């Protein structure tokens, strides 16, 4: 034991436990890199680590200087500067998912034809939404619900009472509703949204967060009753596609472009951001940059947005086939904490 | 020898591990206790002749102990299964506890009543959907919140929405509403081109109202689109848009004829560039609108 410890303490460089410390005599001429974590002696370890960090920093600075010099040279010579490197983002480095929808996927089209939203999206049925709450209402609940009523056309609100959710589903199907939205409250704040498609549509349970009501938004606009346009961004996978179509089935399929209302569901890293704007297109004069052209005023069309209506974030918790039935239903997707382990893996 | 009195004295005044004293009274935690209260007559340890009812998985059993078996602890309690029916169970209790002290009979029957009521209620509740209370691990909540904030920053929502609207504008579904001069418009949308001269040229013709007729070519182009249901004449369109005063303070600039038939300068010229299927629907006011929504995904 003493022997081993001595070995570890003294010469960290010469440790060969995982072969990394070995100087390689191959023709490759690899440099052996010492992992500071292999050194047991704290003093020595911190010194080695600081040295490695410093070396890395110097290398990086050298690279940057070379890159800048190359660019400058190329510009002077009138050639094209070397291509800029693309910074890595989480979206860039997202784990490849085999369920991402491809544009030529026959199975996808077949699925779309056969799914529950088809009647609404094919304009055979106009969507009619019933909004209700959980049994206990909250401080912000009614305000949120009234704003939802103004956002979603053809929606109705009914007080919950003590009815069982399954009974409510039956009632709604009888009265020809196409969807049921239950706003759930926790700690006096709405915190979950349960969207049930009817008559036999899927049930999606979303976690709601970061709710900002219309009155709390600065310079908010007031929505009209025109049918809004929908923008559904970044729903790439099959599951995402399904969820996106679910949102689409809540709104009437014929937007009234004169109303200039747009409702956005933007999916970023499995968080669905909901926004509601009124827009207008402006032709703006943009001052020219000093780089290229002679002082010519360029005109651009730019859309201007005015936010109205609530703003919130949704995260899918479960998606269940069929109407609400936690015990017997078939869950298409359930969020489990072990799915959060990788920072580059997203499901929607 | 079984001296109940001695046992009771010891238990009550010294220590009984089944006794639970709370503000409202003294309770007995022994599972064989009929009433649940720590009493001389309800203590299963201090009474050599005793009876209770216990339930296993919704089935009720009558337990009895007698002094004859007091020396055999593993055969001490005699168990009889009671029928599901309440009246029949009562009769069975009567039969088995026939010559037992009245107090015990009474207490046992009371216990049976209470337990049947509880059983009914539990069964009803199990059928209902109840709200489940779940724990919310704080670390995970914080992690979610952090990820959400970063996602929001990465999302650049306003920019995304604006680019989306611009692409929709380029495909021309709004072109009935925003009457910009078409070549000027095209050039504005394509980034970074100089349009000074064009602007000068068209200033003279701004504000001139020209009426144009509808076109056959347009109909041909739209034949294979879904839900196609007729195309009104362009005239009615322009009249509509001229009559309506829209909220936006834009000038009504008219679509020019530039030596070509108007049909070419219509939105379908642009929409042909992109291979998107445009679904057209007729609205009440007679105009056809194109909806891209069903294919955006």
């Amino acid at each position: 034991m003493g022997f081993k410890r001595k070995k570890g303490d003294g010469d960290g460089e010469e440790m060969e436990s995982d072969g990394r410390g070995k100087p390689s005599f191959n023709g490759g001429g690899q440099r052996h890199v010492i992992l500071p974590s292999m050194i047991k002696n704290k003093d020595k370890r911190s010194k080695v680590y600081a040295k490695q960090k410093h070396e890395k920093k110097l290398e990086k600075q050298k690279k940057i200087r070379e890159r800048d010099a190359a660019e400058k040279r190329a510009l002077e010579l009138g050639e094209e500067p070397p291509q800029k490197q693309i910074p890595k983002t989480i979206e860039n480095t997202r784990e490849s998912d085999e369920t991402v929808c491809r544009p030529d996927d026959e199975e996808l089209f077949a699925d779309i034809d056969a799914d529950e939203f088809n009647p609404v999206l094919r304009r055979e049925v106009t969507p009619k939404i019933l909004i209700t709450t959980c049994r206990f209402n909250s401080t912000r609940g009614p305000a949120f619900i009234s704003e939802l009523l103004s956002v979603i056309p053809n929606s109705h609100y009914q007080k919950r009472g003590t009815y069982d959710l399954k009974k409510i589903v039956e009632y709604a199907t009888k009265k020809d509703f196409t969807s049921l939205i239950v706003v759930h409250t926790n700690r006096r704040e709405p915190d979950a949204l349960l969207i049930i498609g009817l008559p036999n549509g899927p049930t999606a349970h979303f976690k709601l967060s970061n709710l900002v009501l219309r009155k709390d938004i600065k310079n908010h606009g007031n929505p009209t009753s025109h049918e809004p346009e929908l923008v559904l961004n970044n729903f790439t996978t099959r599951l995402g596609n399904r969820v996106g179509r679910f949102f689409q089935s809540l709104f009437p399929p014929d937007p009234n472009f004169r109303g200039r209302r747009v409702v956005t569901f933007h999916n970023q890293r499995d968080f669905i951001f909901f926004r509601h704007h009124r827009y207008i297109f402006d032709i703006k004069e943009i001052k020219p940059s000093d780089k290229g052209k002679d002082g010519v005023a360029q005109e651009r069309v730019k859309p201007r947005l005015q936010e109205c209506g609530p703003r919130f974030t949704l995260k899918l918790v479960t998606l269940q086939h069929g109407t609400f039935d936690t015990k017997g239903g078939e869950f298409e997707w359930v969020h489990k904490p072990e799915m959060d382990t990788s920072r580059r893996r997203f499901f929607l | 020898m079984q001296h109940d009195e001695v046992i009771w004295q010891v238990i009550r005044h010294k220590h009984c591990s089944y006794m639970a004293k709370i503000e409202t009274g003294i309770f007995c935690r022994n599972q064989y206790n009929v009433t649940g209260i720590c009493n001389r007559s309800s203590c299963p340890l201090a009474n050599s002749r005793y009876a209770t009812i216990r339930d296993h998985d919704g089935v009720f059993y009558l337990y009895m102990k007698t002094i004859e078996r007091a020396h055999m602890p593993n055969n001490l309690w005699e168990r009889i299964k009671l029928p599901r029916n309440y009246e029949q169970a009562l009769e069975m209790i009567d039969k088995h506890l026939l010559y037992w002290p009245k107090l015990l009979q009474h207490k046992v029957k009371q216990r049976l009543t209470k337990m049947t009521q509880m059983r009914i209620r539990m069964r009803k509740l199990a059928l209902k959907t109840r709200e489940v209370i779940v724990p919310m691990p704080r670390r995970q909540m914080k992690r979610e919140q952090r990820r959400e904030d970063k996602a929001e920053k990465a999302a650049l929502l306003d920019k995304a929405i604006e680019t989306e609207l611009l692409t929709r504008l380029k495909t021309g579904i709004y072109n009935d509403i925003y009457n910009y001069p078409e070549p000027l418009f095209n050039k504005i949308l394509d980034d970074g081109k100089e349009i000074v001269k064009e602007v000068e040229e068209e200033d003279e013709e701004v504000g001139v109202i020209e009426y144009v007729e509808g076109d056959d070519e347009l109909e041909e182009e739209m034949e294979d689109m879904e839900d196609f249901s007729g195309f009104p004449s362009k005239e009615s369109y322009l009249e509509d848009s001229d009559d309506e005063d829209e909220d936006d303070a834009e000038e009504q600039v008219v679509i020019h004829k530039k030596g070509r038939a108007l049909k070419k300068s219509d939105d379908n010229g642009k929409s042909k560039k992109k291979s998107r299927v445009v679904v057209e629907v007729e609205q009440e006011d007679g105009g056809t609108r194109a909806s891209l929504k069903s294919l955006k995904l």
Side-chain angles (χ1 to χ4, degrees), chain A residues 164 207 209-210 229-230 252 257-258 260 264 266 268-269 275 279 296 299-301 313 315 327 340, chain B residues 126 129 143-144 147-148 151-152 154 157 161 168 174 177-178 180 188 196 281 289-290 293-294:
Chain A
D164 214 18
K207 188 161 61 118
S209 45
N210 275 1
E229 266 182 74
L230 270 194
F257 295 121
R258 286 195 187 276
R260 284 177 286 126
T264 310
H266 180 108
Q268 187 85 12
R269 303 184 195 172
R275 299 286 185 271
Y279 64 92
V296 172
E299 294 194 353
R300 291 241 179 127
V301 183
T313 323
K315 185 159 206 272
K327 288 182 219 162
D340 287 339
Chain B
T129 45
R143 184 160 28 121
E144 289 284 314
R147 286 192 181 169
E148 190 191 316
E152 190 160 2
L157 282 158
I161 301 177
R168 289 191 184 180
Y174 303 143
I177 311 171
Y178 303 107
Y180 296 116
I188 292 177
V196 183
V281 181
R289 303 271 185 260
K293 272 190 334 188
S294 51

Side-chain angles (χ1 to χ4, degrees), chain B residues 2 4 43-50 65-68 70 76:
Chain B
Q2 238 350 33
D4 293 340
C43 188
L45 304 171
N47 287 302
S48 40
R49 180 157 61 154
Y50 201 71
K65 84 166 176 177
T66 44
I67 199 164
E68 284 86 18
L76 185 57

Side-chain angles (χ1 to χ4, degrees), chain A residues 91 101 121-123 134-136 164-166 184 186 191 207 209-210 227-233 235 241 244-245 248 251-258 260 262 264 266 268-269 271 273 275 277-283 293-294 296-305 307 311 313 315 324 326-327 335 337 340-343, chain B residues 125-131 136 140-141 143-145 147-166 168-169 173-174 176-178 180 184-185 187-196 199 226-227 237 240-241 244 246-250 279 281 283 285 289-297:
Chain A
E91 283 81 23
C101 299
L121 295 184
R122 282 238 175 109
R123 299 180 181 83
C134 68
R135 270 172 255 227
F136 304 106
D164 214 18
L165 199 50
K166 296 191 186 174
H184 198 278
N186 187 14
D191 83 323
K207 188 161 61 118
S209 45
N210 275 1
E227 282 101 16
E229 266 182 74
L230 270 194
V231 171
L232 299 155
N233 277 341
F235 287 98
N241 193 4
R245 283 171 66 82
Q248 207 180 337
F251 291 87
D254 311 319
N256 187 343
F257 295 121
R258 286 195 187 276
R260 284 177 286 126
V262 61
T264 310
H266 180 108
Q268 187 85 12
R269 303 184 195 172
F271 289 99
F273 297 99
R275 299 286 185 271
H277 294 279
R278 300 205 64 199
Y279 64 92
I280 200 175
F281 286 105
D282 277 347
I283 299 189
K293 339 274 174 169
D294 324 291
V296 172
Q298 295 184 10
E299 294 194 353
R300 291 241 179 127
V301 183
K302 204 163 188 282
R304 247 191 320 131
L305 300 171
E307 181 145 10
R311 174 203 292 190
T313 323
K315 185 159 206 272
F324 182 71
T326 31
K327 288 182 219 162
H335 173 264
D340 287 339
T341 47
S342 164
R343 287 186 215 179
Chain B
L125 282 182
L127 292 173
K128 276 191 177 183
T129 45
R130 309 206 73 205
E131 292 183 346
M136 304 180 86
Q140 286 190 15
M141 296 294 112
R143 184 160 28 121
E144 289 284 314
Q145 186 59 35
R147 286 192 181 169
E148 190 191 316
D149 295 333
K150 291 192 182 170
E152 190 160 2
K153 278 191 214 150
L156 299 174
L157 282 158
D158 288 343
K159 201 167 168 194
I161 301 177
E162 285 172 10
T163 41
E164 175 62 31
L165 288 174
L166 266 181
R168 289 191 184 180
L169 184 63
I173 45 182
Y174 303 143
D176 319 323
I177 311 171
Y178 303 107
Y180 296 116
L184 171 64
F185 197 46
K187 294 219 171 124
I188 292 177
L189 288 180
D190 304 332
D191 304 315
K193 295 231 176 110
E194 296 176 45
I195 36 139
V196 183
V199 173
E226 296 176 49
D227 298 347
Y237 247 150
D240 264 357
S241 56
E244 290 176 319
E246 297 171 49
D247 311 340
D248 35 61
E250 295 160 37
V279 179
V281 181
Q283 280 196 336
D285 63 340
R289 303 271 185 260
S291 156
L292 256 187
K293 272 190 334 188
S294 51
L295 270 119
K296 247 328 207 157
L297 306 169

Side-chain angles (χ1 to χ4, degrees), chain A residues 164-182:
Chain A
D164 214 18
L165 199 50
K166 296 191 186 174
K167 294 264 170 61
I168 296 186
V169 166
E170 278 175 31
Y171 167 78
T173 13
K174 238 188 332 167
K175 298 272 174 133
D176 289 332
F177 283 97
T178 53
S179 321
L180 168 69
I181 299 184
V182 181

Side-chain angles (χ1 to χ4, degrees), chain B residues 249-271:
Chain B
E250 295 160 37
E251 298 167 27
Q252 298 278 341
V253 183
V254 173
I255 298 173
H256 298 274
K257 261 201 220 180
K258 267 213 150 185
R260 305 179 278 168
L262 185 68
K263 51 193 173 182
K264 293 272 172 61
S265 71
D266 207 61
D267 48 342
N268 282 322
K270 278 192 228 143
S271 68

Side-chain angles (χ1 to χ4, degrees), chain B residues 27-51:
Chain B
F27 293 95
C28 180
R29 270 198 243 148
N30 194 323
Q31 292 170 19
Y32 289 92
N33 193 317
V34 159
T35 56
I37 302 176
C38 189
N39 248 336
R40 174 66 184 87
S41 49
S42 319
C43 188
L45 304 171
N47 287 302
S48 40
R49 180 157 61 154
Y50 201 71

